[in-house]
């Protein structure tokens, strides 16, 4: 289930202000416009919305039209979340790692979550930039429980893809949002092709998510999340 931990206020604000994640004026997507701090800001706003308006309300209001989540089978988030009642207390989460394409059109956040009952785990969220509104909506969200919480970290790590050699690539035409149920496999990429993701779900509902980033002229796997099949009740 997609559960995560509220970003720590003062500590995170300090991290956003660090040179590695310093805020820059927003520009139209293009070569060199990656801005990892924009994803941190999106996570902070997401967490605040969950606290103030409710957990599933926040997920619904920040999801792309064709966003996918796992329950544990893959579902269209907007359909699954539609009309779902918010729990009394929202889960909390803290982003720890960020990956972003060179052009800033696609990014990934990963971190830890905590349920009110003390259960802990991790999450991975893929964010896509909307051209017209110049903001981010999540297109895939997944995670799993952990026996022990992830180690606390005072610093966020951010990695930006190398920009395409030979200048910018032609901008992709984005397909119309899918309407039906998602398949047992899915994938996506940034407009400049420097960040890609893909997931595969087994017949037993186990799944894998892989994220790759352009580094030194090669697409390099930078994150893999393998989730075991759910245990029988």
């Amino acid at each position: 289930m997609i559960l995560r931990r509220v970003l720590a206020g003062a500590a995170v604000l300090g991290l956003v202000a660090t040179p590695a994640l310093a805020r820059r004026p927003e520009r139209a997507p293009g070569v060199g416009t990656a801005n990892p701090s924009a994803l941190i800001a999106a996570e902070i706003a997401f967490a605040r919305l969950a606290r103030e308006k409710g957990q599933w309300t926040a997920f619904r209001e920040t999801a792309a039209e064709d966003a996918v989540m796992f329950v544990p089978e893959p579902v269209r988030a907007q359909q699954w979340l539609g009309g779902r009642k918010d729990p009394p207390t929202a889960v909390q989460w803290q982003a720890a790692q960020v990956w972003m394409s060179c052009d800033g059109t696609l990014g990934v956040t990963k971190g830890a979550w905590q349920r009110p009952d003390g259960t802990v785990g991790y999450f991975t969220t893929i964010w896509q930039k909307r051209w017209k509104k110049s903001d981010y909506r999540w297109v895939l969200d997944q995670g799993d429980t952990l026996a022990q919480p992830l180690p606390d970290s005072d610093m966020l790590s951010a990695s930006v893809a190398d920009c395409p050699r030979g200048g910018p690539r032609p901008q992709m035409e984005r397909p119309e949002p899918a309407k039906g149920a998602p398949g047992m496999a899915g994938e996506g990429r940034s407009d400049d092709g420097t960040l890609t993701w893909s997931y595969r779900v087994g017949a037993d509902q186990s799944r894998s998510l892989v994220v790759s980033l352009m580094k030194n002229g090669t697409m390099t796997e930078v994150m893999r999340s393998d989730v075991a099949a759910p245990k029988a009740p």
Side-chain angles (χ1 to χ4, degrees):
M1 203 171 186
I2 307 158
L3 302 163
R4 57 225 355 260
R5 204 165 69 151
V6 173
L7 292 157
V12 170
L13 290 176
L15 288 171
V16 171
T18 61
L21 296 175
R23 294 303 301 274
R24 295 181 294 188
E26 288 294 325
R27 293 182 286 165
V31 173
T33 59
N35 183 7
S37 65
L39 288 191
I40 301 305
E43 285 281 8
I44 293 172
F46 189 5
R48 183 184 303 117
L49 189 63
R51 295 195 305 271
E52 296 177 353
K53 297 184 67 174
Q55 178 176 307
W56 297 132
T57 297
F59 274 82
R60 188 167 50 247
E61 293 188 7
T62 55
E65 186 177 345
D66 56 347
V68 174
M69 58 193 293
F70 301 89
V71 295
E73 70 278 6
V75 296
R76 294 291 173 201
Q78 292 290 11
Q79 296 174 16
W80 189 86
L81 292 166
R84 190 166 294 273
K85 185 178 179 180
D86 293 313
T89 304
V91 294
Q92 304 179 59
W93 66 88
Q94 179 183 34
Q97 295 172 280
V98 180
W99 299 270
M100 184 169 270
S101 62
C102 167
D103 65 357
T105 59
L106 197 68
V108 182
T109 53
K110 183 178 180 179
W113 59 255
Q114 289 183 330
R115 282 179 180 160
D117 65 3
T119 308
V120 298
Y122 73 93
F123 71 90
T124 309
T125 305
I126 298 173
W127 297 86
Q128 183 171 288
K129 191 164 191 174
R130 296 194 294 183
W131 292 341
K132 292 182 179 179
K133 294 192 176 181
S134 193
D135 63 358
Y136 286 91
R137 288 290 182 265
W138 65 267
V139 295
L140 185 140
D141 195 288
Q142 70 96 47
D144 198 12
T145 57
L146 294 170
Q148 298 293 328
L150 293 175
D152 288 334
S153 175
D154 293 331
M155 294 294 291
L156 286 163
S157 68
S159 182
V160 174
D162 296 342
C163 294
R165 293 179 179 177
R169 299 183 183 183
Q171 196 174 69
M172 290 177 58
E173 279 293 328
R174 290 188 182 161
E176 289 294 319
K179 302 297 182 183
M184 300 300 278
E187 60 185 12
R189 51 164 275 184
S190 61
D191 291 348
D192 65 358
T194 62
L195 189 153
T196 64
W197 59 268
S198 64
Y199 74 81
R200 298 289 184 274
V201 180
D204 60 357
Q205 303 300 336
S206 62
R207 66 178 182 271
S208 295
L209 171 67
V210 175
V211 175
S212 296
L213 206 63
M214 178 68 74
K215 287 293 182 184
N216 300 316
T218 302
M219 292 302 294
T220 302
E221 182 179 308
V222 293
M223 196 223 72
R224 174 181 287 270
S225 173
D226 295 312
V227 178
K231 295 180 180 179

